[in-house]
Structure formats: structure tokens, C-alpha cells
Amino acid sequence: MKYLLLAAMLLLGGCSSKDARDQRDRQNYQRYYPLIVNAEKDAAPPARKVLRTARSMVVNGEIVKGACWDYLNKACRRAGYAYPALARVFTGTPKGPYAPAYMIQPGDWIYYVNHSYYNVAHSGMFIAWIDRRRNIALILSYAGEHRKEPARYKPYDISHTFTILRAAE
């Protein structure tokens, strides 16, 4: 009986952490909804299309096989901007040089050093500045890594952005 109770607690613990993450993601979406909508409204037409397409994927809870790159590529492709056709606005490496903040616009597909996850290279879609002075931005991020989690809107430090790709006519 003692082992059955322990197994139930472990199973419920796993469910509750997923539920807590889902709830946090919903709260972030609601909290940042005005930034998301304003970014779409203010963006150039190609970026607006990419932002809206990506948001519909988030709202539908879409899971894409692969990593962050695959998710963003799918969003851009659906919006009519396949990867090779995206304008390369800035190119560096994870060790630099890094893009100046003023170059980044809503809807840009950016590559940056993810300081909140082992300082690995990561890519996400720039939505808006939360605190431009500190380089904190709202990013549409997809974890990938076989996690089977939808993308989410989340704040990131993007001070080490080393590539910017942009949908353009």
C-alpha cells in the first residue's frame, strides 16, 4: 500500500508540474496579450503575417516535430516566407559580434544566447521589448527537444543576439 501511494504521488507530481507550466503559459499569454496585438498592428505587412500565423499556431497548441528552428521555419513558410527567402539583416556567431538592439523589429526571427538555459544558442521570434534598457524582450519560443509542448510567449534576455532574419516583400 505504501508503494502504491508513493507511485500515485509521483504520477500526480508529474501532472501537476505540466499543469502548472500550462497555467503559467496561459497567464503569460494573457499578461502580454496587449504587447502581442500591438506588435502585430505596428509591424510591416510581411512581419504582421508571420506574427499572426505564429500566434494562431500557439493558440491552437500546435506541436511541431523538431526544435526551435523547425517551428519558426514552419510559421514563416505558412505565412508565405520560406527560410531561404528571409532577409538576413544581421549575422554574427554565438561568440559575437552581436546585433544592436535598435535593429530588432517585431516578427524578426532571431538567434541569441539563451542565458536562462545553459547559455546555448536558441532562436525565437521577437515580439516586443519588455525592458529595452536591460535587453529583455517578449519572445515566441519553442523548446523542441521532444518535449511535445506548444510554443509560448516568454521574456528573454536577448543582449547576445547574433542573427536577425526578417520577412520582406
Side-chain angles (χ1 to χ4, degrees):
M1 183 66 172
K2 175 170 69 174
Y3 295 108
L4 185 60
L5 182 60
L6 179 61
M9 288 173 54
L10 289 172
L11 284 173
L12 288 175
C15 292
S16 64
S17 67
K18 182 192 178 315
D19 292 342
R21 184 183 58 247
D22 290 347
Q23 182 177 355
R24 185 180 61 246
D25 292 345
R26 279 191 300 275
Q27 288 171 339
N28 269 350
Y29 182 73
Q30 291 168 349
R31 176 181 180 191
Y32 295 117
Y33 184 78
L35 283 176
I36 296 164
V37 171
N38 283 334
E40 290 174 4
K41 182 175 65 83
D42 296 339
R48 182 178 308 123
K49 195 170 180 184
V50 170
L51 287 163
R52 288 181 176 162
T53 300
R55 181 161 59 105
S56 73
M57 291 169 68
V58 172
V59 169
N60 293 329
E62 189 165 336
I63 307 291
V64 172
K65 185 178 180 178
C68 52
W69 189 95
D70 299 291
Y71 190 92
L72 294 173
N73 188 48
K74 188 168 203 167
C76 289
R77 197 173 63 243
R78 278 191 190 166
Y81 302 95
Y83 171 73
L86 296 170
R88 193 169 282 272
V89 177
F90 185 90
T91 304
T93 72
K95 294 185 187 283
Y98 302 115
Y102 71 83
M103 293 182 80
I104 304 170
Q105 297 178 8
D108 283 351
W109 178 348
I110 63 171
Y111 288 74
Y112 55 97
V113 177
N114 185 352
H115 297 294
S116 63
Y117 190 74
Y118 303 110
N119 292 318
V120 298
H122 184 52
S123 67
M125 186 176 296
F126 177 82
I127 307 301
W129 291 107
I130 294 173
D131 184 341
R132 190 171 184 159
R133 186 181 57 76
R134 291 183 25 225
N135 290 311
I136 305 299
L138 182 62
I139 300 293
L140 175 62
S141 176
Y142 189 68
E145 295 184 348
H146 307 289
R147 292 188 199 170
K148 294 189 176 15
E149 299 170 7
R152 58 184 167 245
Y153 294 94
K154 188 175 165 186
Y156 282 92
D157 170 358
I158 61 166
S159 57
H160 293 100
T161 296
F162 58 91
T163 301
I164 303 172
L165 303 173
R166 184 173 296 150
E169 296 291 345

PDB file of all heavy atoms in Angstrom, residues 79-93:
ATOM      1  N   ALA A  79       3.217  31.469 -43.564  1.00  0.00           N
ATOM      2  CA  ALA A  79       2.905  32.869 -43.832  1.00  0.00           C
ATOM      3  C   ALA A  79       3.359  33.297 -45.226  1.00  0.00           C
ATOM      4  O   ALA A  79       3.098  34.425 -45.646  1.00  0.00           O
ATOM      5  CB  ALA A  79       3.545  33.761 -42.768  1.00  0.00           C
ATOM      6  N   GLY A  80       4.055  32.402 -45.925  1.00  0.00           N
ATOM      7  CA  GLY A  80       4.493  32.699 -47.279  1.00  0.00           C
ATOM      8  C   GLY A  80       5.935  33.155 -47.388  1.00  0.00           C
ATOM      9  O   GLY A  80       6.350  33.671 -48.425  1.00  0.00           O
ATOM     10  N   TYR A  81       6.708  32.947 -46.331  1.00  0.00           N
ATOM     11  CA  TYR A  81       8.107  33.386 -46.325  1.00  0.00           C
ATOM     12  C   TYR A  81       8.994  32.214 -45.936  1.00  0.00           C
ATOM     13  O   TYR A  81       9.357  32.055 -44.777  1.00  0.00           O
ATOM     14  CB  TYR A  81       8.291  34.567 -45.367  1.00  0.00           C
ATOM     15  CG  TYR A  81       7.412  35.724 -45.744  1.00  0.00           C
ATOM     16  CD1 TYR A  81       6.168  35.895 -45.144  1.00  0.00           C
ATOM     17  CD2 TYR A  81       7.804  36.610 -46.731  1.00  0.00           C
ATOM     18  CE1 TYR A  81       5.335  36.940 -45.523  1.00  0.00           C
ATOM     19  CE2 TYR A  81       6.979  37.654 -47.108  1.00  0.00           C
ATOM     20  CZ  TYR A  81       5.742  37.805 -46.498  1.00  0.00           C
ATOM     21  OH  TYR A  81       4.916  38.827 -46.887  1.00  0.00           O
ATOM     22  N   ALA A  82       9.351  31.409 -46.907  1.00  0.00           N
ATOM     23  CA  ALA A  82      10.183  30.239 -46.657  1.00  0.00           C
ATOM     24  C   ALA A  82      11.582  30.675 -46.230  1.00  0.00           C
ATOM     25  O   ALA A  82      12.059  31.740 -46.628  1.00  0.00           O
ATOM     26  CB  ALA A  82      10.251  29.363 -47.907  1.00  0.00           C
ATOM     27  N   TYR A  83      12.243  29.854 -45.451  1.00  0.00           N
ATOM     28  CA  TYR A  83      13.540  30.192 -44.844  1.00  0.00           C
ATOM     29  C   TYR A  83      14.551  30.843 -45.786  1.00  0.00           C
ATOM     30  O   TYR A  83      15.043  31.917 -45.486  1.00  0.00           O
ATOM     31  CB  TYR A  83      14.150  28.961 -44.161  1.00  0.00           C
ATOM     32  CG  TYR A  83      15.563  29.201 -43.707  1.00  0.00           C
ATOM     33  CD1 TYR A  83      15.816  30.006 -42.602  1.00  0.00           C
ATOM     34  CD2 TYR A  83      16.643  28.673 -44.393  1.00  0.00           C
ATOM     35  CE1 TYR A  83      17.109  30.258 -42.194  1.00  0.00           C
ATOM     36  CE2 TYR A  83      17.934  28.918 -43.986  1.00  0.00           C
ATOM     37  CZ  TYR A  83      18.159  29.710 -42.887  1.00  0.00           C
ATOM     38  OH  TYR A  83      19.430  29.967 -42.488  1.00  0.00           O
ATOM     39  N   PRO A  84      14.876  30.264 -46.917  1.00  0.00           N
ATOM     40  CA  PRO A  84      15.943  30.903 -47.708  1.00  0.00           C
ATOM     41  C   PRO A  84      15.571  32.307 -48.200  1.00  0.00           C
ATOM     42  O   PRO A  84      16.444  33.116 -48.472  1.00  0.00           O
ATOM     43  CB  PRO A  84      16.147  29.959 -48.898  1.00  0.00           C
ATOM     44  CG  PRO A  84      15.435  28.711 -48.564  1.00  0.00           C
ATOM     45  CD  PRO A  84      14.405  29.042 -47.535  1.00  0.00           C
ATOM     46  N   ALA A  85      14.272  32.594 -48.300  1.00  0.00           N
ATOM     47  CA  ALA A  85      13.836  33.892 -48.825  1.00  0.00           C
ATOM     48  C   ALA A  85      13.830  34.989 -47.761  1.00  0.00           C
ATOM     49  O   ALA A  85      13.640  36.158 -48.085  1.00  0.00           O
ATOM     50  CB  ALA A  85      12.450  33.756 -49.441  1.00  0.00           C
ATOM     51  N   LEU A  86      14.033  34.656 -46.516  1.00  0.00           N
ATOM     52  CA  LEU A  86      14.055  35.675 -45.461  1.00  0.00           C
ATOM     53  C   LEU A  86      15.299  36.549 -45.624  1.00  0.00           C
ATOM     54  O   LEU A  86      16.381  36.056 -45.929  1.00  0.00           O
ATOM     55  CB  LEU A  86      14.055  35.020 -44.079  1.00  0.00           C
ATOM     56  CG  LEU A  86      12.808  34.213 -43.727  1.00  0.00           C
ATOM     57  CD1 LEU A  86      13.047  33.436 -42.445  1.00  0.00           C
ATOM     58  CD2 LEU A  86      11.599  35.108 -43.596  1.00  0.00           C
ATOM     59  N   ALA A  87      15.116  37.835 -45.387  1.00  0.00           N
ATOM     60  CA  ALA A  87      16.252  38.760 -45.476  1.00  0.00           C
ATOM     61  C   ALA A  87      17.146  38.563 -44.263  1.00  0.00           C
ATOM     62  O   ALA A  87      16.668  38.507 -43.129  1.00  0.00           O
ATOM     63  CB  ALA A  87      15.746  40.197 -45.539  1.00  0.00           C
ATOM     64  N   ARG A  88      18.424  38.458 -44.508  1.00  0.00           N
ATOM     65  CA  ARG A  88      19.406  38.335 -43.427  1.00  0.00           C
ATOM     66  C   ARG A  88      19.830  39.755 -43.069  1.00  0.00           C
ATOM     67  O   ARG A  88      20.572  40.387 -43.797  1.00  0.00           O
ATOM     68  CB  ARG A  88      20.587  37.493 -43.882  1.00  0.00           C
ATOM     69  CG  ARG A  88      21.482  37.058 -42.760  1.00  0.00           C
ATOM     70  CD  ARG A  88      22.477  36.004 -43.242  1.00  0.00           C
ATOM     71  NE  ARG A  88      21.865  34.691 -43.365  1.00  0.00           N
ATOM     72  CZ  ARG A  88      21.793  33.802 -42.353  1.00  0.00           C
ATOM     73  NH1 ARG A  88      22.290  34.106 -41.181  1.00  0.00           N
ATOM     74  NH2 ARG A  88      21.224  32.641 -42.526  1.00  0.00           N
ATOM     75  N   VAL A  89      19.332  40.238 -41.922  1.00  0.00           N
ATOM     76  CA  VAL A  89      19.561  41.619 -41.500  1.00  0.00           C
ATOM     77  C   VAL A  89      20.875  41.765 -40.746  1.00  0.00           C
ATOM     78  O   VAL A  89      21.540  42.791 -40.830  1.00  0.00           O
ATOM     79  CB  VAL A  89      18.372  42.108 -40.638  1.00  0.00           C
ATOM     80  CG1 VAL A  89      18.597  43.503 -40.112  1.00  0.00           C
ATOM     81  CG2 VAL A  89      17.076  42.035 -41.436  1.00  0.00           C
ATOM     82  N   PHE A  90      21.223  40.729 -39.992  1.00  0.00           N
ATOM     83  CA  PHE A  90      22.468  40.754 -39.213  1.00  0.00           C
ATOM     84  C   PHE A  90      22.965  39.326 -39.069  1.00  0.00           C
ATOM     85  O   PHE A  90      22.182  38.403 -38.853  1.00  0.00           O
ATOM     86  CB  PHE A  90      22.238  41.360 -37.826  1.00  0.00           C
ATOM     87  CG  PHE A  90      23.494  41.521 -37.019  1.00  0.00           C
ATOM     88  CD1 PHE A  90      24.227  42.702 -37.098  1.00  0.00           C
ATOM     89  CD2 PHE A  90      23.972  40.502 -36.208  1.00  0.00           C
ATOM     90  CE1 PHE A  90      25.403  42.860 -36.371  1.00  0.00           C
ATOM     91  CE2 PHE A  90      25.141  40.647 -35.483  1.00  0.00           C
ATOM     92  CZ  PHE A  90      25.850  41.833 -35.562  1.00  0.00           C
ATOM     93  N   THR A  91      24.283  39.152 -39.168  1.00  0.00           N
ATOM     94  CA  THR A  91      24.879  37.825 -38.997  1.00  0.00           C
ATOM     95  C   THR A  91      26.111  37.931 -38.108  1.00  0.00           C
ATOM     96  O   THR A  91      26.995  38.741 -38.369  1.00  0.00           O
ATOM     97  CB  THR A  91      25.290  37.228 -40.354  1.00  0.00           C
ATOM     98  OG1 THR A  91      24.149  37.193 -41.201  1.00  0.00           O
ATOM     99  CG2 THR A  91      25.830  35.818 -40.182  1.00  0.00           C
ATOM    100  N   GLY A  92      26.125  37.123 -37.084  1.00  0.00           N
ATOM    101  CA  GLY A  92      27.278  37.003 -36.198  1.00  0.00           C
ATOM    102  C   GLY A  92      27.417  35.543 -35.818  1.00  0.00           C
ATOM    103  O   GLY A  92      26.979  34.657 -36.551  1.00  0.00           O
ATOM    104  N   THR A  93      27.987  35.284 -34.666  1.00  0.00           N
ATOM    105  CA  THR A  93      28.110  33.929 -34.134  1.00  0.00           C
ATOM    106  C   THR A  93      27.732  33.987 -32.652  1.00  0.00           C
ATOM    107  O   THR A  93      27.649  35.075 -32.077  1.00  0.00           O
ATOM    108  CB  THR A  93      29.553  33.380 -34.265  1.00  0.00           C
ATOM    109  OG1 THR A  93      30.388  34.065 -33.325  1.00  0.00           O
ATOM    110  CG2 THR A  93      30.095  33.534 -35.669  1.00  0.00           C
TER     111      THR A  93
END
